[in-house]
Each structure stands twice: as structure tokens, then as C-alpha cells.
Amino acid sequence: MTNTTTVPGLLDRKVAFVTGAGRGIGAAAARLFAREGARVVLAARTESQLKAVAEEIRAEGGVADHVVCDLGDAASIRAAVGRAVEVHGRLDVAFNNGATNVPPGPMDRVTEADFDRIYAVNLKGPWLSMLAEIEAIRATAGTGAIVNNTSVGSLMANPDLPAYGAMKRGVNSLTASAAVTYGPEGIRINGVAPGTTMTEMFSEWMESSPGILDQLNARTPLGRVAEPEEVAEAAAWLLSDRASYVTGTVLRVDGGMLS
Ligand SMILES: NC(=O)c1ccc[n+]([C@@H]2O[C@H](COP(=O)([O-])OP(=O)(O)OC[C@H]3O[C@@H](n4cnc5c(N)ncnc54)[C@H](OP(=O)(O)O)[C@@H]3O)[C@@H](O)[C@H]2O)c1
């Protein structure tokens, strides 16, 4: 007998907002969320990349739209989340994934301008994003879930990327606090902490720090880097109703990386 049961996607019928969706982990997440049944709204600064990913998703039968958004600009973030609601009439879930980096080096080499920029994009950006998303979820779907992309580097000393690590640790703190504040109304907030993941951000680090790949792999029991899709899988699960009793956690997706 043929089994004709169709298993619904992890994110079936949900509207998902994804920042940093033009490439890397965010693009992989947008593609995966769409395959899992979500209507996705992709946000970042580079419109050509967003368009390309959205078109690819639509070509595979998914529903995808894009909106240009700068995470360093509060009005831009509010407008982007507003656009998702305008297009689909609701917001259920969001993946705050977009972030930037500064050149690697010891703390005394970080310029004040770089520190301010990474603060604005990587810490204030996710905070502002959460505020806009929570307001949108409340006003439409009523309950929902948010995942913030932090980093395994937030959980340990990060002497090569001290400002980056500090902002990501701040995101962990905001995640924990938001989970407590918004849990009672049915909005779950979690984080994923990726280890070494093969994206443009990591390629730039490899270019400026020869040997870093081998050093990181040597500290990683699985002995290799992650593909962006492997991080996206964890975010999809945390955003789905299958993780209905999970909130306030930062899930390491790091091949078991040792500090
Ligand atoms: N790759 C790793 O090894 C690794 C490890 C741990 C954590 N992570 C985290 O994973 C997330 C994704 O990183 P990735 O490796 O996929 O990097 P990526 O390939 O460089 O992608 C970063 C994305 O964020 C967007 N972005 C950067 N600055 C932005 C801004 N000001 N406003 C809006 N969007 C912005 C980029 O688009 P635009 O430049 O077009 O705006 C791009 O779409 C980040 O939070 C990163 O910190 C990565």
C-alpha cells in the first residue's frame, strides 16, 4: 500500500523574516524555511543578492519577497519588518542573522570607529529587530518565535575578534532577557551559536589570518567547518512549533568546538 500522508513542513504557513538573507547562513535559512513551508521575507543591504536568492526560492515553488534594510539604522529595521506585515498580513517568526565583522586582531588594535560600527549592527541591530518583530507578532499572529544568530565566539575568550565576541555575548544576554519578558505571552526567543561556517565572513577571516582554518578545525571534534545549511537547520527547528517548550537557550551548532 502506498503511503500518501503528506508531512507538513516545519514552518508550514508561517511568515518568516530573515535578516542577512542575501548570502551565507541567512540565504541558506531563507531557502530552507521556504522549503519547510514558510513565506519568507529576506532583508539585507545588497539588493542584487536578495533578489537573486528570492528569485531562486520562487523558481523552486516557494514564496519569497525582499526588502532592503540596514541593521545600523532603526528606521530601516522598523520599515523592513513593517514591509513583511504589509505583504503577508502577519509575522510569525524571525531569524536575526545579519551581522558584520571587523578586522581580526588584539583588543588594542580595534579602532573606535570599528567598535561603534559593530555595536550598531551586531548588538543594537538585533535589539531593535526584536522590538519591531515582537510588536508585529503581537499585532498579527499573536504568538511566535525569534532566533538570534550569535556565535560560539560569544561563549569564550575571543582574543582575535574581541569586539565581535563582546557584541555576540550581548546578544546572548538580550536573548535570555527577552525570553523571560515575552515568554508569558507565547513568544519564544532563542539563539544559535555557530562554530566555523563556510561563508564570505569566514573567507575574509581566512584571508587576513592564514592558518586559522586549521587552528579552528583542530579545536573541533567533528574536524571540519559547517556548511551554512547546517546552521539553518537548527534555526528552523527552534523557530518551529516542534520546539514549543524551548525558550531562552543558545544552541551551539559548532561541531563540539573546544574553548
Ligand atoms: N561564518 C561563521 O563562521 C560564523 C560563525 C559564528 C557566527 N556567525 C554569524 O552568522 C551570521 C551570518 O554570517 P555569515 O557567516 O553568513 O556572513 P556573511 O556571508 O557575511 O553574511 C552576512 C549577511 O548579513 C548582512 N549584513 C551585514 N551587515 C548588515 C547591515 N548593516 N544591515 C543589514 N544586513 C547586513 C549581509 O548583507 P549586506 O552586506 O548586503 O547587508 C549578509 O547578507 C552572523 O550573525 C555571523 O556573526 C558566522
Side-chain angles (χ1 to χ4, degrees):
M1 203 174 96
T2 318
N3 184 355
T4 51
T5 313
T6 318
V7 180
L10 264 183
L11 297 170
D12 208 29
R13 291 197 293 269
K14 296 196 189 294
V15 173
F17 178 71
V18 181
T19 68
R23 57 179 188 265
I25 296 168
R31 290 188 195 102
L32 174 65
F33 295 1
R35 283 200 302 277
E36 293 291 344
R39 288 172 278 164
V40 290
V41 178
L42 294 77
R45 291 169 306 172
T46 310
E47 189 164 27
S48 56
Q49 293 186 345
L50 295 172
K51 267 189 175 162
V53 179
E55 272 165 22
E56 202 184 303
I57 292 171
R58 287 195 295 267
E60 286 172 14
V63 178
D65 291 274
H66 77 273
V67 58
V68 172
C69 170
D70 183 352
L71 292 170
D73 176 345
S76 170
I77 293 171
R78 282 194 288 269
V81 173
R83 179 79 189 132
V85 174
E86 201 178 286
V87 172
H88 295 294
R90 61 190 287 132
L91 182 68
D92 299 271
V93 298
F95 183 31
N96 294 321
N97 160 83
T100 190
N101 208 347
V102 298
M107 196 181 295
D108 54 274
R109 301 253 187 87
V110 180
T111 67
E112 197 176 339
D114 274 346
F115 195 95
D116 288 346
R117 182 172 56 84
I118 204 167
Y119 160 73
V121 175
N122 289 18
L123 181 56
K124 194 174 173 190
W127 172 63
L128 289 166
S129 301
M130 278 196 283
L131 300 189
E133 290 153 3
I134 287 161
E135 197 181 316
I137 290 170
R138 257 188 196 149
T140 60
T143 61
I146 294 173
V147 168
N148 296 316
N149 196 345
T150 89
S151 170
V152 73
S154 71
L155 304 169
M156 52 188 77
N158 208 336
D160 286 339
L161 296 169
Y164 176 87
M167 301 314 155
K168 293 293 191 178
R169 191 173 287 201
V171 172
N172 296 349
S173 177
L174 288 175
T175 300
S177 299
V180 172
T181 305
Y182 305 107
E185 56 184 290
I187 302 177
R188 297 181 299 104
I189 324 268
N190 291 290
V192 284
T196 320
T197 309
M198 201 40 90
T199 65
E200 189 172 307
M201 185 182 282
F202 184 64
S203 299
E204 283 169 9
W205 193 11
M206 281 195 298
E207 270 165 37
S208 54
S209 308
I212 192 68
L213 177 63
D214 291 339
Q215 285 168 39
L216 291 169
N217 280 345
R219 285 167 49 200
T220 305
L222 292 186
R224 63 171 178 86
V225 299
E227 292 302 326
E229 292 73 17
E230 295 181 280
V231 180
E233 288 283 353
W237 176 73
L238 282 169
L239 288 173
S240 80
D241 295 341
R242 301 257 287 271
S244 53
Y245 203 54
V246 183
T247 198
T249 197
V250 172
L251 177 62
R252 294 171 71 138
V253 187
D254 64 352
M257 187 181 273
L258 309 164
S259 47

